Amino acid sequence: MSPLRKMTLIFLGLTALPLQLSAQETKPEQNLIRGNTQVADGVAENMQFVDPAAEGWRTEVLHDSAKAGLKGFLGWVGHGKELPEKTLAENFRCSVLRPAELDIAFQDDAITVQHAEGNGTLPFDKENVFAAAKSLQLVFEGGTLRDDFFKIITVELNGGHSFRTKFLYHAAISAQPFVTQVNLEGEAIWLVGETDEEVQLQSIDISHYEELATARPAFEDITSAVFAKTPRWRPEMMVGVELMVNRVDRLIGRSFVGSQGIAIGDIDNDGLDDIYVPQQGGLANRLYHHLPNGTVEEVSESAMVDFLDNTRGALFADMDNDGDQDLVVTVRANLLIAYNNGEGIFDTRTVLRYNDAANIYSITVADPDNDGDLDIYACRYVMGGLVGGVPTPYHDANNGATNFFWRNDGNRAFQEAAAEVGLDQNNTKFSLGACWEDIDGDGDVDLYVANDFGRNNLFINDGTGHFTDEAVARGADDIGAAMGVSMSDVDLDGDMDILVTNMFSSAGRRIATQEDRFMDGDAKEVHADYVRHARGNTLLRNNGNGTFTDSTESSRVAIGGWAWGAQFVDINNDGFDDVYSPNGFLTNKGEEDL
């Protein structure tokens, strides 16, 4: 892996933005709460739709009932609870929950992965359900159930009093020093009682069982040991963004979703990587210098990079070819390059200004014109602020903010040249991440751009630094809700494959697949696009000629939750890149809370 490739993998993903150059324009906020109970105009009329029955979505009512039933049944298996009364129908049948014979899918000194496919037989009835569950219960009884969750991905009506669901179940069991993870995929059929809230399991069939066992945890959280002694670490870094968003000056720029990112680089050439942490407006960005003992010291002020402006992200790269790592940060539509004096002090700056209010969300650098210096590609997302622009059309939006290409002309001079080099094609997307790589093996770097709400771009370099978007023609457009992109030669065949981070939505899978109910049965020609939006991550395998085949299902990388900036990395040093996929979003106390 080249140094440039390592760098783009580190700084790709979801973020990259910098320092405030002028006061951010804002609009007065509307109060959503009036007094203690009333909500603002336009909100009350939508509150009724929290109840899926309000618009006649019977399948979602049944989903809620089935999820409660699954929790009761699998809670009995995994938590040692009593099986709730009336959970099982009188004619209940099920497969074994943990197959007796498991095949080893992967094994090394650290981890063993075993799995088995179901055979579709249901030999156990209600009287013998304990025998069906016993082998799985033994796995759970070996330790403490640390975490488990359920996802129902389909609800199919089988007439008025029966319905079928497909579900996913994940559980983690810890028993010092061992850790076991169980992943189930299965199908359940339910009988409906007098109301849709009264359901019973008629059958449950495990179609895929996977069990991972480690002799010890593969990773240890050492955050506190590394950072705890630095000033302001706990009050700034160890709390959620929701605790800070209303405590800072909104004129400087707030970022409620917390998409700030980090940058990693060696600022003083001591062989140790240092960490730069951008923050939302009003909180100073932090630079942590890596010490030989494995801890850090905070040097933001002395290094002259403690910017107070809303900084969505940053990267380290040698932008002036003097042998040290400079710092690039973003502020709204502008870039600031802080040049390193060789000792980790960033005392000289270049500002790349653009007369536009839309924020940059990520930046990545490479040398696509092969002139020996690094150019910058900047992804932007939405015009009018995070909630100010509605993607249109939702499944393939073309009303996002334009992205920038800042060409490095040497001597710390840059020119915005997106149109000049062909990067203005299909350039009104909702972009969140980009990656430079030689896609077609011709010796120059091409550019893949991951776009939310629609198709991605694959800009092919003609060898002179001029690009053509060939994503559709090469089978790489991957219409969906892309959050980021990473590349690796996953099959070791000598060419680069593409991992696109997309959101997985179990609700989307349940709803968008109902072609006669979804969108009132209209616009069926785009239903497949919505289903694709809900599928999750995508793996595009290079065919060897720069065209791609979707290998998502066979690789089993799709389900990564609400994923953000998944990355290829060889975690166990076996020569094969693995995938690490961060996921999650704002979570409140109730399931219906946003």
Side-chain angles (χ1 to χ4, degrees):
M1 183 182 295
S2 69
L4 176 59
R5 178 164 149 65
K6 287 184 178 180
M7 177 180 63
T8 56
L9 286 179
I10 289 171
F11 301 117
L12 256 218
L14 233 229
T15 56
L17 266 59
L19 160 103
Q20 176 103 332
L21 306 175
S22 61
Q24 183 166 338
E25 296 176 5
T26 59
K27 296 180 180 180
E29 295 185 355
Q30 294 181 345
N31 293 323
L32 294 182
I33 305 298
R34 295 178 180 173
N36 294 323
T37 56
Q38 290 184 322
V39 296
D41 294 340
V43 176
E45 61 188 87
N46 291 318
M47 292 298 291
Q48 61 179 314
F49 300 122
V50 172
D51 177 6
E55 281 286 281
W57 277 99
R58 185 183 181 218
T59 54
E60 287 302 286
V61 176
L62 294 173
H63 160 267
D64 294 346
S65 301
K67 189 171 184 180
L70 270 180
K71 283 185 176 181
F73 181 73
L74 291 173
W76 161 66
V77 176
H79 293 267
K81 299 178 180 179
E82 291 187 9
L83 186 62
E85 187 180 359
K86 297 184 179 180
T87 297
L88 308 181
E90 288 302 318
N91 60 345
F92 173 80
R93 306 289 299 186
C94 75
S95 66
V96 63
L97 302 187
R98 182 184 185 271
E101 296 184 5
L102 300 177
D103 297 323
I104 295 179
F106 176 83
Q107 188 174 38
D108 63 12
D109 294 339
I111 188 170
T112 298
V113 180
Q114 302 180 87
H115 64 188
E117 303 299 323
N119 58 16
T121 60
L122 307 176
F124 299 94
D125 59 18
K126 185 176 181 179
E127 300 303 320
N128 296 295
V129 67
F130 179 79
K134 184 176 181 180
S135 58
L136 182 56
Q137 285 180 325
L138 291 175
V139 174
F140 286 102
E141 289 173 0
T144 301
L145 183 59
R146 190 173 65 192
D147 180 53
D148 63 347
F149 74 91
F150 311 79
K151 292 289 183 182
I152 293 178
I153 58 176
T154 65
V155 177
E156 302 174 12
L157 300 178
N158 295 335
H161 297 287
S162 175
F163 66 100
R164 182 188 308 267
T165 62
K166 291 183 180 179
F167 66 89
L168 310 172
Y169 175 61
H170 300 267
I173 306 100
S174 60
Q176 295 297 335
F178 303 101
V179 176
T180 302
Q181 180 174 324
V182 171
N183 304 318
L184 300 180
E185 298 177 21
E187 182 177 275
I189 297 177
W190 306 82
L191 296 181
V192 182
E194 294 184 4
T195 70
D196 286 345
E197 286 74 22
E198 301 173 11
V199 301
Q200 290 182 306
L201 263 173
Q202 184 180 33
S203 69
I204 186 166
D205 180 17
I206 303 304
S207 57
H208 179 78
Y209 180 91
E210 185 173 72
E211 185 174 298
L212 299 82
T214 67
R216 63 187 183 280
F219 294 91
E220 180 182 357
D221 185 352
I222 60 171
T223 307
S224 294
V226 173
F227 292 96
K229 294 183 179 180
T230 61
R232 297 171 295 276
W233 171 259
R234 291 191 180 280
E236 287 185 7
M237 303 296 180
M238 300 302 287
V239 299
V241 66
E242 74 277 5
L243 297 180
M244 285 293 185
V245 71
N246 290 318
R247 300 183 183 185
V248 296
D249 189 344
R250 63 189 177 93
L251 294 177
I252 299 177
R254 298 184 301 185
S255 182
F256 185 71
V257 296
S259 56
Q260 311 303 127
I262 63 172
I264 298 176
D266 183 0
I267 65 171
D268 53 0
N269 290 321
D270 64 353
L272 301 175
D273 282 336
D274 310 298
I275 303 175
Y276 188 71
V277 182
Q279 298 204 75
Q280 63 179 305
L283 298 174
N285 297 341
R286 303 298 179 193
L287 176 59
Y288 297 97
H289 179 235
H290 191 160
L291 299 175
N293 65 2
T295 65
V296 298
E297 60 178 339
E298 203 247 294
V299 297
S300 315
E301 183 177 359
S302 61
M304 304 178 67
V305 291
D306 55 339
F307 309 132
L308 286 171
D309 308 84
N310 187 34
T311 305
R312 289 191 181 275
L315 62 77
F316 285 112
D318 186 0
M319 301 306 300
D320 54 3
N321 287 340
D322 64 352
D324 52 43
Q325 298 283 289
D326 307 305
L327 177 66
V328 186
V329 295
T330 68
V331 178
R332 299 175 67 188
N334 309 295
L335 295 174
L336 181 137
I337 305 173
Y339 293 101
N340 194 332
N341 70 357
E343 299 178 355
I345 308 298
F346 300 84
D347 55 1
T348 306
R349 286 87 183 274
T350 293
V351 176
L352 307 181
R353 299 179 184 271
Y354 200 86
N355 186 26
D356 194 317
N359 288 330
I360 299 172
Y361 272 64
S362 68
I363 46 179
T364 184
V365 298
D367 183 14
D369 51 7
N370 291 316
D371 64 352
D373 50 38
L374 295 174
D375 309 309
I376 306 171
Y377 188 79
C379 292
R380 299 200 299 166
Y381 191 66
V382 60
M383 300 296 294
L386 186 60
V387 296
V390 177
T392 306
Y394 178 91
H395 67 286
D396 193 10
N398 282 292
N399 63 321
T402 56
N403 298 336
F404 303 142
F405 175 70
W406 287 96
R407 185 181 60 215
N408 191 335
D409 291 332
N411 298 316
R412 299 182 176 180
F414 291 80
Q415 179 70 35
E416 205 293 309
E420 181 180 337
V421 303
L423 292 174
D424 60 334
Q425 304 164 71
N426 303 318
N427 191 28
T428 52
K429 303 288 188 177
F430 287 70
S431 303
L432 285 172
C435 187
W436 297 100
E437 189 55 78
D438 186 1
I439 293 293
D440 51 5
D442 63 354
D444 53 47
V445 291
D446 310 297
L447 179 68
Y448 194 91
V449 183
N451 302 313
D452 201 356
F453 304 109
R455 301 179 188 278
N456 300 327
N457 308 108
L458 174 53
F459 292 103
I460 298 297
N461 192 334
D462 68 358
T464 68
H466 192 275
F467 297 86
T468 303
D469 185 4
E470 300 182 14
V472 175
R474 291 175 179 262
D477 53 318
D478 187 48
I479 191 167
M483 304 285 110
V485 57
S486 181
M487 298 194 191
S488 171
D489 182 6
V490 299
D491 46 10
L492 300 184
D493 64 351
D495 49 45
M496 300 306 294
D497 309 299
I498 303 173
L499 173 68
V500 183
T501 309
N502 293 311
M503 291 188 299
F504 163 78
S505 171
S506 55
R509 285 194 174 193
R510 293 193 306 270
I511 292 172
T513 51
Q514 299 181 46
E515 63 177 23
D516 293 329
R517 184 70 178 87
F518 179 59
M519 299 175 71
D520 295 325
D522 296 331
K524 290 186 178 181
E525 68 277 6
V526 301
H527 284 199
D529 294 335
Y530 282 87
V531 174
R532 182 67 173 265
H533 270 252
R535 183 182 70 170
N537 298 330
T538 294
L539 179 63
L540 300 173
R541 186 162 295 178
N542 197 322
N543 296 321
N545 57 1
T547 65
F548 293 86
T549 297
D550 190 328
S551 299
T552 304
E553 298 302 330
S554 61
S555 64
R556 304 182 72 87
V557 301
I559 300 174
W562 192 320
W564 302 86
Q567 294 287 295
F568 283 116
V569 58
D570 185 1
I571 291 174
N572 56 350
N573 294 320
D574 65 351
F576 295 92
D577 275 350
D578 311 299
V579 175
Y580 186 77
S581 185
N583 65 76
F585 198 59
L586 301 175
T587 303
N588 280 340
K589 295 179 180 179
E591 289 190 1
E592 71 280 2
D593 293 340
L594 292 179

